[in-house]
Amino acid sequence: MSTEDYYKKMLENDDETADDEAVAKKNFVGSMIETVENQLNDHDPEFVTEVFLSLQRKGCNRKQARTVIASALTEEMYYVLKDERAYDEKKYESNLKKRSSAMTNEISVPNVSLAIEDEINDACREIWGAITDNDEAVAAAWFLAIWPVMKEYVIHNLYRDTEAGIEKPDLTDVSVMTDYNMNFEALLPEMGTVLCNERQYENAIGFSKEVLELFSWQHSEPDSYKDDIGQALADMGKESESDAWYQSWLEEEPDNGNCVNGYAFCHQIRGDIQGALAIVEAHLPINESADSKYDNLYLRAADLYDAIGDVQKASHYRELRSAIFSSESDDVWSSGTIVKEKKIYPNDPCPCGSGKKYKKCCGKR
């Protein structure tokens, strides 16, 4: 069997036709990861570090690159045991460099389960269990204990070292990159709400800022985490800092309806209805349309006009918001496409029409 054929066989997913020898070799890769870590930390042998960086330039993330190196080390150790011979570093180097040369986008690197992944998944199950039981104090305690481990896992395994610098994953990439073994996308948006509900505002702000720094946000929206920061500052009574946060955000994204909604809501809950209305009116589109990006903005406008007794304008913006959903429904029916129900995020206006944020209304039940 050629080196490339062996490489492909070592890296393909297990199936019922795989022979016992191939399965044994692949399973042994996991136990070699720690040895590879030590080699990389010590830069000994140096060729391991060179290949580690080379594989990432070819598209592997850090975990995948270590997995490929571990598979080469596994092969060497396998034959050391099988043939009862001495460890041969030259053979290890030669085999590893051949594997690196053979790496293409068509060859997938299997997801090797790590102990840290089991630790994170166990903690996440405890957190979800506590949230389901409405015990947010326990959920917050579990999360604050496991969050540093989650951060380290992402940086150490899912980042990629490129010639242009470090490439971060998007939050939505975590599931795919770990062969659906890890899912951060569902849990993380909930935790800012949980921490704020427990009045752990400093922790909520620190966590939200760290999430914003941890991922690239090329595909997913960071708005929920940014809004959590502004809301937490407001809840702490730091109104000027909260206002400054939202103003800075609006300078970057003047048309962000979620930002305007959060900013106005902070004024609304402190009793400054006119101030909240001024914020909303300054950002309502000149040419009003049934565009989904204005969904939260229209709902906030309707609620504020209700608060000052302007029933006509409140009704107008509710009708505009209804037109958004009607338009989306028509698009679905005309295309024949089945779509998921729109996800409600913690900082979205509650769909019950209370004017409160979902996390402070129906989302708490």
Side-chain angles (χ1 to χ4, degrees):
M1 181 183 295
S2 69
T3 301
E4 184 171 352
D5 288 340
Y6 174 81
Y7 175 68
K8 291 178 179 178
K9 186 172 183 180
M10 279 288 294
L11 295 182
E12 67 188 4
N13 293 327
D14 287 342
D15 55 40
E16 294 179 356
T17 63
D19 59 84
D20 292 340
E21 182 176 293
V23 172
K25 289 176 182 175
K26 184 177 175 184
N27 289 340
F28 193 48
V29 171
S31 65
M32 291 289 100
I33 293 286
E34 185 175 350
T35 302
V36 172
E37 293 273 17
N38 292 334
Q39 292 177 341
L40 289 169
N41 290 336
D42 297 339
H43 297 287
D44 182 22
E46 290 185 2
F47 65 80
V48 172
T49 301
E50 294 170 4
V51 173
F52 179 65
L53 296 174
S54 174
L55 287 167
Q56 291 180 77
R57 287 193 289 269
K58 291 185 175 184
C60 290
N61 60 39
R62 291 172 177 174
K63 179 183 177 183
Q64 290 171 328
R66 284 195 296 271
T67 300
V68 173
I69 296 169
S71 68
L73 181 58
T74 296
E75 183 181 3
E76 172 59 21
M77 297 309 299
Y78 178 82
Y79 285 110
V80 164
L81 297 173
K82 182 181 178 181
D83 300 338
E84 297 181 347
R85 64 169 174 81
Y87 165 72
D88 190 331
E89 190 169 283
K90 290 295 183 183
K91 286 186 177 181
Y92 172 33
E93 179 180 9
S94 176
N95 187 17
L96 178 55
K97 289 184 175 179
K98 286 179 181 178
R99 287 166 183 263
S100 178
S101 297
M103 171 59 72
T104 66
N105 291 332
E106 285 72 36
I107 299 177
S108 61
V109 179
N111 181 55
V112 177
S113 181
L114 304 176
I116 189 175
E117 295 173 345
D118 294 335
E119 180 185 356
I120 292 171
N121 284 334
D122 288 344
C124 288
R125 280 189 286 271
E126 294 290 343
I127 293 167
W128 278 121
I131 291 174
T132 302
D133 293 339
N134 292 319
D135 194 343
E136 292 189 332
V138 170
W142 267 102
F143 180 73
L144 291 174
I146 199 62
W147 173 236
V149 181
M150 296 172 76
K151 286 188 299 180
E152 175 60 23
Y153 172 80
V154 172
I155 294 169
H156 193 63
N157 292 286
L158 306 185
Y159 276 27
R160 189 164 75 90
D161 300 288
T162 71
E163 292 179 345
I166 294 175
E167 182 179 287
K168 301 177 181 179
D170 187 84
L171 176 59
T172 57
D173 293 336
V174 174
S175 293
V176 176
M177 294 175 78
T178 59
D179 199 21
Y180 300 95
N181 186 40
M182 311 289 289
N183 182 0
F184 294 177
E185 186 181 0
L187 179 65
L188 296 187
E190 301 290 336
M191 295 319 301
T193 302
V194 169
L195 293 170
C196 283
N197 286 345
E198 289 301 304
R199 301 183 182 277
Q200 297 193 37
Y201 302 122
E202 293 286 0
N203 284 331
I205 292 170
F207 156 68
S208 296
K209 288 182 176 181
E210 288 169 353
V211 172
L212 291 170
E213 177 64 24
L214 191 61
F215 298 103
S216 67
W217 306 103
Q218 291 182 328
H219 311 301
S220 52
E221 291 187 357
D223 293 2
S224 176
Y225 305 97
K226 290 182 178 181
D227 201 17
D228 278 337
I229 294 172
Q231 292 291 322
L233 288 168
D235 289 343
M236 293 170 70
K238 298 182 177 182
E239 296 175 356
S240 60
E241 290 184 40
S242 175
D243 288 350
W245 172 261
Y246 283 111
Q247 288 163 7
S248 175
W249 184 3
L250 280 173
E251 287 176 6
E252 297 176 3
E253 302 177 72
D255 297 325
N256 191 308
N258 292 325
C259 178
V260 176
N261 173 56
Y263 190 12
F265 181 71
C266 284
H267 278 261
Q268 185 177 0
I269 60 175
R270 72 179 74 151
D272 182 14
I273 302 299
Q274 291 299 330
L277 193 56
I279 292 168
V280 169
E281 288 180 334
H283 292 88
L284 285 169
I286 296 175
N287 299 315
E288 295 174 342
S289 62
D291 191 323
S292 60
K293 71 180 181 180
Y294 300 126
D295 176 19
N296 289 346
L297 188 56
Y298 289 159
L299 187 58
R300 182 62 53 204
D303 186 56
L304 288 168
Y305 282 120
D306 262 342
I308 63 171
D310 194 331
V311 178
Q312 184 177 357
K313 284 189 176 180
S315 177
H316 169 69
Y317 285 106
R318 285 199 176 89
E319 288 174 2
L320 272 174
R321 187 167 180 267
S322 295
I324 292 173
F325 295 105
S326 176
S327 175
E328 290 178 348
S329 177
D330 290 343
D331 289 343
V332 169
W333 281 109
S334 62
S335 66
T337 302
I338 298 175
V339 297
K340 294 181 179 179
E341 182 180 356
K342 181 183 176 183
K343 178 177 175 59
I344 303 172
Y345 289 95
N347 288 314
D348 286 348
C350 191
C352 75
S354 66
K356 297 180 181 180
K357 293 208 170 187
Y358 179 67
K359 68 183 180 181
K360 296 191 175 183
C361 190
C362 296
K364 294 182 70 174
R365 299 170 191 165

